């Protein structure tokens, strides 16, 4: 998971922070309510207040939190974060999906996308997932859905992600999904009183479309 998943927790939470043509939504639709995106292993949907307890359990462990800004430490803190995500989605600034494995009804993680410039020409995405679900293929399944959503529904041109250089798992996940490492952001992330380097990863809309053709997914 990447540190930018909860990177702006003091402003976003306290945490401020895919589906090509399946289903079809318009840019205005997602500001009213996020679409439900269904993959082979997970469903992505809008966060609910009832997800607060499971998110506290999943995202507050040391192995998850070590490369991200500190998540909320209470159920009430996550409830405030969830309410914030819905306000920001309604304002058209940000989208945060709950990751729900098939057969479950509560969130085991999140994917989020926020605009870096008006109109989402450039956007940043991040993710965090309970460690018990690492290595299950659920990240790849959900990542493809949310990246499709960013390019096809929100009409993003450039999607960025940041990961601590020491976060081998997060960097490996971004490389596996097809992101390109553009450089190192030196001493750009403050964690536990220490500034650490981050890798900057990007995906462009045309690159993603070409990759989907390779995967055998139709592109319109």
């Amino acid at each position: 998971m990447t540190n930018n998943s909860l990177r702006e927790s003091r402003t976003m939470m306290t945490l401020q922070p895919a589906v090509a043509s399946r289903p079809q939504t318009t840019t205005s639709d997602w500001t009213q309510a996020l679409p439900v995106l269904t993959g082979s292993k997970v469903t992505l949907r809008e966060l609910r207040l009832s997800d607060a307890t499971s998110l506290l359990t999943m995202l507050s462990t040391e192995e998850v939190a070590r490369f991200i800004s500190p998540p909320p430490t209470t159920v009430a803190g996550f409830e405030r974060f969830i309410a914030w995500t819905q306000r920001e989605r309604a304002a058209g600034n940000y989208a945060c999906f709950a990751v729900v494995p098939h057969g479950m009804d509560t969130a085991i993680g999140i994917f989020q996308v926020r605009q870096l410039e008006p109109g989402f020409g450039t956007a940043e995405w991040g993710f965090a997932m309970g460690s018990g679900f690492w290595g299950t293929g659920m990240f790849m399944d959900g990542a493809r859905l949310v990246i499709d959503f960013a390019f096809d529904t929100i009409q993003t041109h450039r999607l960025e992600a940041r990961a601590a250089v020491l976060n081998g798992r997060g960097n490996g996940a971004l490389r596996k999904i097809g992101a390109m490492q553009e450089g190192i952001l030196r001493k750009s992330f403050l964690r536990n009183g220490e500034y650490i380097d981050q890798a900057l990863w990007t995906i462009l809309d045309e690159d993603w479309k070409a990759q989907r053709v390779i995967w055998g997914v139709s592109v319109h």
Side-chain angles (χ1 to χ4, degrees):
M1 68 199 51
T2 60
N3 49 281
N4 64 305
S5 307
L6 305 178
R7 181 165 59 88
E8 300 187 8
S9 60
R10 293 309 176 198
T11 53
M12 294 201 268
M13 273 196 183
T14 322
L15 177 133
Q16 182 160 267
V19 162
S21 48
R22 31 170 222 287
Q24 286 281 1
T25 57
T26 65
T27 300
S28 59
D29 287 339
W30 73 270
T31 67
Q32 301 301 313
L34 291 180
V36 175
L37 311 178
T38 303
S40 61
K41 295 178 179 290
V42 300
T43 296
L44 303 187
R45 58 157 172 78
E46 187 110 43
L47 284 170
R48 304 168 182 164
L49 288 179
S50 58
D51 294 318
T53 299
S54 62
L55 288 178
L56 175 64
T57 300
M58 295 290 170
L59 304 186
S60 297
T61 62
E62 173 58 26
E63 58 264 61
V64 174
R66 60 184 301 218
F67 291 121
I68 60 178
S69 294
T73 57
T74 65
V75 171
F78 268 104
E79 288 176 342
R80 289 191 294 271
F81 167 61
I82 291 167
W84 179 89
T85 68
Q86 295 170 353
R87 293 193 300 271
E88 287 296 292
R89 182 260 302 147
N93 300 324
Y94 171 83
C96 187
F97 289 93
V99 182
V100 183
H102 294 337
M104 296 179 62
D105 58 8
T106 56
I108 56 91
I110 62 171
F111 280 98
Q112 55 187 359
V113 181
R114 68 183 182 97
Q115 66 175 4
L116 294 180
E117 61 178 304
F120 276 93
T122 301
E124 181 181 39
W125 72 296
F127 53 92
M129 189 175 295
S131 59
F133 296 89
W134 295 354
T136 62
M138 291 185 185
F139 164 75
M140 286 293 291
D141 193 36
R144 290 178 181 179
L145 293 173
V146 79
I147 296 171
D148 278 354
F149 170 81
F151 288 129
D152 297 340
T153 299
I154 299 181
Q155 300 292 301
T156 296
H157 162 66
R158 172 184 167 93
L159 199 55
E160 298 183 355
R162 292 160 174 77
V165 170
L166 296 176
N167 184 357
R169 180 177 289 273
N171 285 288
L174 288 164
R175 183 179 295 107
K176 187 175 182 180
I177 199 65
M180 177 179 293
Q181 184 178 331
E182 290 193 345
I184 301 297
L185 306 174
R186 297 187 300 160
K187 307 296 184 183
S188 56
F189 180 65
L190 181 63
R191 185 69 171 97
N192 293 330
E194 178 184 3
Y195 281 101
I196 59 178
D197 296 345
Q198 296 174 295
L200 174 65
W201 297 85
T202 61
I203 304 174
L204 302 181
D205 54 356
E206 57 262 37
D207 295 339
W208 187 248
K209 289 176 182 178
Q211 187 160 304
R212 288 194 306 197
V213 170
I214 294 173
W215 289 338
V217 178
S218 62
V219 179
H220 296 274

